[in-house]
Amino acid sequence: MKKRFIAFIVAAVLCVVSASCAKKPADTADNNTASTVGTDEFKLEKAQTYTEFENGRNVICCFGDSLTYGWGSTDGYNYPDQLQGNLKGQYKVYNGGVCGEKADAVRSRANGCDFELTNDLYFAAGVDRIDLDRELFTVTGADTPIQYLGFGKDLPPNKIIIDGTVYDIEHTPGAEYQHDTYTIVRKNTDSALTIKKGTQVKYDYSDSFDKCDVAIINFGANDGDSGSDELLEKYKEFAARYEKYLIFVPMGTDETEQKFTDAFGEHAVVLRPYFLGEAMDKYVGDNVTDAVKKYNEYCFRHNIVPASFRLNQDRNEVHFNALGNKVIADKIYERGVHLGYWK
């Protein structure tokens, strides 16, 4: 496949515990600010909303699971929103995070792999629409169909390309804790149409933007062994399609972090040491007790999100609070400046 001259940031979420959205926490200050860890003096500001963008100009797409979605954080405090604030109008940032999704679902939504119809797709004569089965597509060469849980917080696809033909997709939001529904719509209904199993598929986001200038993608938290060689190969396949990319690793073991550093060099941004070291000094400083600092060190050694940046005080929690999301957004922003993606 011909490489596209698009800057892609790939965010590798390497948490052993599933990053899903099974239960939404109460919308309290503790979930959306850093007040529980003594960081009241560190002011968090919601991202500005930008409306002046023309279609297709200066677009960043964030594809991922619940860590991208920002589960537990109110709008304005997930990391895509806070990155939007850092960029100050240089880009429009779309949040394409879907809670609970696995690697193949995320990377196919981002057109980061080849995928195809799992079974024949049949339109009867006079019928213009078919509901999108959650297992309608399969990554080429894989045995298990992709299981979609949705298509993004604020970036559902508008069209889909099947064997070179563009079809519309209609999106119906689900009730709370229910999956959204999607329907494929064709324009010509004069005759019956069968599209064969194995036909190549690609998403078309052109109703939202002409092209994605920069993308941020994370996957792996819901796949079990987040440090596996198989997962690493999926990142390599994705990265090979683009001229520019970054992989940032929020939480992982020493072995996992080394694998990504070896595979991607300076494109791998390892954040676990940053969360405990520089980030603790910059964002928390002297606002925590020695006991909290000691516990943060314990979390670091045991591959647990540090308490100062965790959504709640459950040590098994893999999601970040508003301050943790700000650390991620700031680090992405800094690396983007370093690579010349933005100013």
Side-chain angles (χ1 to χ4, degrees):
M1 178 178 179
K2 184 178 180 181
K3 291 184 177 180
R4 299 163 57 196
F5 293 91
I6 298 175
F8 259 70
I9 293 179
V10 186
V13 176
L14 302 175
C15 302
V16 176
V17 183
S18 173
S20 64
C21 298
K23 182 178 179 182
K24 184 178 179 181
D27 186 14
T28 66
D30 287 354
N31 288 325
N32 298 294
T33 71
S35 61
T36 58
V37 292
T39 54
D40 292 338
E41 295 180 6
F42 191 88
K43 303 301 182 183
L44 294 171
E45 296 182 1
K46 284 190 175 183
Q48 299 179 45
T49 300
Y50 298 98
T51 59
E52 68 273 21
F53 294 95
E54 296 180 10
N55 188 35
R57 290 188 56 199
N58 303 324
V59 169
I60 294 174
C61 304
C62 302
F63 291 99
D65 53 29
S66 55
L67 284 89
T68 297
Y69 180 91
W71 183 69
S73 295
T74 56
D75 288 342
Y77 293 117
N78 54 61
Y79 90 75
D81 284 341
Q82 297 200 58
L83 177 61
Q84 174 79 89
N86 289 348
L87 291 165
K88 300 187 183 304
Q90 297 179 69
Y91 287 84
K92 166 64 179 176
V93 181
Y94 288 96
N95 187 336
V98 175
C99 298
E101 278 207 331
K102 294 185 177 181
D104 285 349
V106 175
R107 65 196 187 113
S108 64
R109 288 193 294 110
N111 290 321
C113 61
D114 293 331
F115 60 108
E116 60 194 38
L117 291 178
T118 305
N119 300 296
D120 290 353
L121 185 64
Y122 176 71
F123 289 89
V127 174
D128 70 339
R129 63 195 58 225
I130 298 176
D131 287 341
L132 179 62
D133 190 303
R134 286 179 58 203
E135 297 186 352
L136 182 61
F137 307 127
T138 301
V139 171
T140 301
D143 297 325
T144 305
I146 302 167
Q147 291 192 350
Y148 289 114
L149 303 179
F151 281 90
K153 186 179 181 70
D154 57 18
L155 186 59
N158 310 109
K159 297 180 174 67
I160 193 166
I161 303 172
I162 305 176
D163 196 24
T165 300
V166 179
Y167 297 83
D168 291 331
I169 294 182
E170 293 182 353
H171 169 226
T172 304
E176 188 173 12
Y177 306 119
Q178 299 296 316
H179 297 303
D180 295 356
T181 58
Y182 296 83
T183 304
I184 299 177
V185 182
R186 64 170 178 162
K187 293 179 173 60
N188 189 340
T189 62
D190 292 342
S191 59
L193 174 65
T194 300
I195 308 175
K196 292 296 185 180
K197 170 184 176 179
T199 301
Q200 291 293 303
V201 181
K202 182 179 181 180
Y203 289 109
D204 180 349
Y205 295 97
S206 60
D207 281 0
S208 296
F209 48 81
D210 293 334
K211 67 183 181 69
C212 179
D213 300 285
V214 182
I216 302 172
I217 186 167
N218 71 73
F219 54 75
N222 298 302
D223 288 80
D225 184 1
S226 58
S228 69
D229 291 338
E230 180 182 358
L231 186 67
L232 187 65
E233 290 303 314
K234 291 181 179 182
Y235 272 104
K236 288 180 179 179
E237 179 185 2
F238 188 96
R241 293 168 180 256
Y242 307 100
E243 290 294 324
K244 299 177 181 180
Y245 66 92
L246 281 176
I247 293 176
F248 85 92
V249 186
M251 298 298 296
T253 63
D254 291 342
E255 180 182 3
T256 294
E257 292 166 354
Q258 192 61 52
K259 280 184 179 181
F260 276 78
T261 300
D262 292 344
F264 302 104
E266 65 176 4
H267 295 280
V269 182
V270 177
L271 288 183
R272 185 171 62 115
Y274 180 71
F275 268 114
L276 182 62
E278 184 180 343
M280 286 296 298
D281 294 335
K282 180 178 180 180
Y283 297 91
V284 179
D286 297 328
N287 293 328
V288 297
T289 64
D290 289 340
V292 172
K293 291 180 180 179
K294 185 175 181 180
Y295 182 55
N296 282 328
E297 293 175 359
Y298 170 86
C299 293
F300 177 82
R301 293 194 303 271
H302 292 83
N303 193 26
I304 301 170
V305 177
S308 295
F309 306 108
R310 201 163 61 221
L311 179 62
N312 55 51
Q313 297 312 301
D314 181 352
R315 58 177 292 177
N316 294 318
E317 179 61 70
V318 300
H319 299 93
F320 295 91
N321 61 17
L323 184 57
N325 285 326
K326 179 170 178 57
V327 173
I328 295 171
D330 288 354
K331 200 63 177 176
I332 293 172
Y333 173 77
E334 291 172 8
R335 185 52 60 93
V337 170
H338 174 73
L339 293 177
Y341 293 169
W342 45 69
K343 297 179 181 180

